[in-house]
């Protein structure tokens, strides 16, 4: 009769089942970011919704979207990019500081960057269930233009590899294998 949806990121389905004695089809784990408070986020849920009318998934869909993860391992992997929210803000801060150094008033720099990145995210969100969407957006960059050159420069500086290493380290922390810090030795 009761259904449990745990919002505790460190909980496990096995532990929840053990602690509650609920049947497996009545026990879920859900992870989300604060953006669900404005119906702009996405929820991660495990296991898939077993309710008769999919009311658990429907409830989460109303917060901005829901992905039913095949397993807790998949959910852990999908939790990793949520740890890139802070670095995204750090990129905005770095961009702002660079613009201010070039003489742009701080308020103008912050406003411009927030709107610029919001526009980019809205472009990325269109057709976002298409697994080739991001590839297509990259391919749309003007040949020889500033964006194509920036991608190449960042590749040469191993920026994208650094992000992958940071993500691998976060996953290792979530799996309890390491403390999550990258070893630079």
């Amino acid at each position: 009769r009761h259904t449990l949806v745990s919002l505790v990121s460190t909980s496990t389905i096995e532990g929840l089942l053990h602690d509650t004695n609920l049947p497996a089809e009545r026990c879920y784990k859900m992870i989300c970011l604060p953006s669900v408070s404005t119906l702009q986020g996405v929820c991660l849920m495990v296991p898939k919704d077993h309710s008769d009318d999919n009311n658990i998934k429907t409830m989460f869909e109303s917060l901005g979207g829901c992905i039913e993860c095949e397993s807790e391992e998949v959910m852990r992997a999908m939790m990793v990019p949520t740890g890139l929210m802070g670095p995204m803000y750090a990129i905005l801060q770095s961009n702002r500081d660079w613009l201010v150094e070039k003489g742009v008033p701080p308020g103008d720099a912050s406003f411009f960057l927030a709107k610029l990145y919001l526009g980019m995210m809205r472009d990325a969100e269109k057709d976002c269930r298409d697994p080739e969407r991001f590839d297509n957006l990259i391919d749309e960059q003007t040949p020889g233009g500033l964006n194509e050159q920036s991608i190449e420069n960042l590749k040469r500086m191993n920026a994208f590899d650094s992000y992958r290493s940071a993500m691998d380290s976060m996953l290792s922390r979530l799996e309890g294998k390491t403390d999550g810090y990258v070893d630079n030795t």
Side-chain angles (χ1 to χ4, degrees):
R1 175 174 163 180
H2 295 287
T3 298
L4 172 70
V5 178
S6 173
L7 305 180
V8 179
S9 65
T10 57
S11 66
T12 64
I13 295 294
E14 181 181 324
L16 295 170
L17 292 172
H18 176 268
D19 293 345
T20 63
N21 293 316
L22 286 170
E25 63 273 7
R26 293 193 154 298
C27 194
Y28 301 91
K29 177 179 171 180
M30 191 272 278
I31 305 295
C32 63
L33 287 177
S35 55
V36 300
S37 69
T38 58
L39 310 180
Q40 299 294 312
V42 64
C43 302
L44 302 175
M45 179 175 106
V46 69
K48 290 189 174 206
D49 191 351
H50 299 293
S51 63
D52 294 334
D53 56 1
N54 281 337
N55 61 351
I56 303 294
K57 181 180 180 187
T58 300
M59 176 177 59
F60 295 153
E61 284 282 353
S62 72
L63 298 174
C66 180
I67 295 178
E68 296 175 294
C69 300
E70 293 290 330
S71 65
E72 288 185 271
E73 291 77 22
V74 169
M75 178 182 258
R76 265 193 298 279
M78 294 202 58
M79 287 170 62
V80 168
T82 70
L84 295 175
M85 181 174 63
M88 178 67 183
Y89 297 144
I91 289 170
L92 290 168
Q93 178 188 52
S94 177
N95 290 179
R96 181 211 55 214
D97 293 349
W98 186 89
L99 287 172
V100 169
E101 288 171 11
K102 302 303 178 208
V104 176
D108 289 348
S110 292
F111 179 81
F112 172 72
L113 291 166
K115 295 293 188 172
L116 176 68
Y117 277 73
L118 177 61
M120 288 187 276
M121 291 300 97
R122 284 185 175 150
D123 283 346
E125 186 182 30
K126 293 176 191 164
D127 302 319
C128 62
R129 290 215 180 253
D130 177 355
E132 295 180 11
R133 176 65 179 156
F134 303 145
D135 304 281
N136 294 336
L137 287 169
I138 292 167
D139 291 343
E140 289 175 7
Q141 303 310 302
T142 304
L146 292 174
N147 284 291
E148 184 183 71
Q149 185 178 36
S150 291
I151 292 168
E152 182 58 32
N153 284 340
L154 289 167
K155 284 180 182 177
R156 290 179 184 189
M157 293 184 286
N158 297 316
F160 302 116
D161 291 337
S162 294
Y163 264 91
R164 290 181 68 89
S165 292
M167 292 174 75
D168 287 339
S169 295
M170 283 187 277
L171 181 60
S172 180
R173 176 182 169 183
L174 289 171
E175 293 172 337
K177 295 177 181 176
T178 69
D179 64 4
Y181 284 99
V182 176
D183 183 14
N184 285 330
T185 57

